[in-house]
Amino acid sequence: MTFIINGEEQEIAAATLADLLSALDYEGEWLATAVNGELVHREDRAGFTLGARDRIEILSPMQGG
């Protein structure tokens, strides 16, 4: 399925947000995720079904200043 991930179009086989994060090798509880502008909490990712052309933002904290 085609998704827009952090502004880039990508073709990835994933049915849920958790599947997508796994396919992209994102791990950890420190991630923030949003689909089509709506925040998706960590505990909801496994049950959050994705659709073609969904816009997914994956954010991680940065150190430094």
Side-chain angles (χ1 to χ4, degrees), residues 12-14 18-26:
I12 298 174
D19 293 340
L20 179 77
L21 293 173
S22 178
L24 293 171
D25 292 326
Y26 279 99

Side-chain angles (χ1 to χ4, degrees), residues 2-32:
T2 301
F3 303 107
I4 310 299
I5 303 169
N6 293 341
E8 274 188 42
E9 190 172 296
Q10 295 187 41
E11 183 74 27
I12 298 174
T16 67
L17 184 54
D19 293 340
L20 179 77
L21 293 173
S22 178
L24 293 171
D25 292 326
Y26 279 99
E27 295 181 5
E29 298 179 8
W30 41 265
L31 294 172

Side-chain angles (χ1 to χ4, degrees), residues 3 11 18 22 35 40 43 46 57:
F3 303 107
E11 183 74 27
S22 178
V35 177
V40 179
E43 60 271 10
E57 298 295 327

Side-chain angles (χ1 to χ4, degrees), residues 11-64:
E11 183 74 27
I12 298 174
T16 67
L17 184 54
D19 293 340
L20 179 77
L21 293 173
S22 178
L24 293 171
D25 292 326
Y26 279 99
E27 295 181 5
E29 298 179 8
W30 41 265
L31 294 172
T33 55
V35 177
N36 299 323
E38 296 293 323
L39 180 67
V40 179
H41 295 280
R42 176 180 33 128
E43 60 271 10
D44 298 329
R45 292 175 189 156
F48 193 96
T49 303
L50 297 173
R53 307 287 302 163
D54 275 349
R55 290 182 92 51
I56 297 127
E57 298 295 327
I58 304 167
L59 306 170
S60 61
M62 296 179 67
Q63 292 185 349

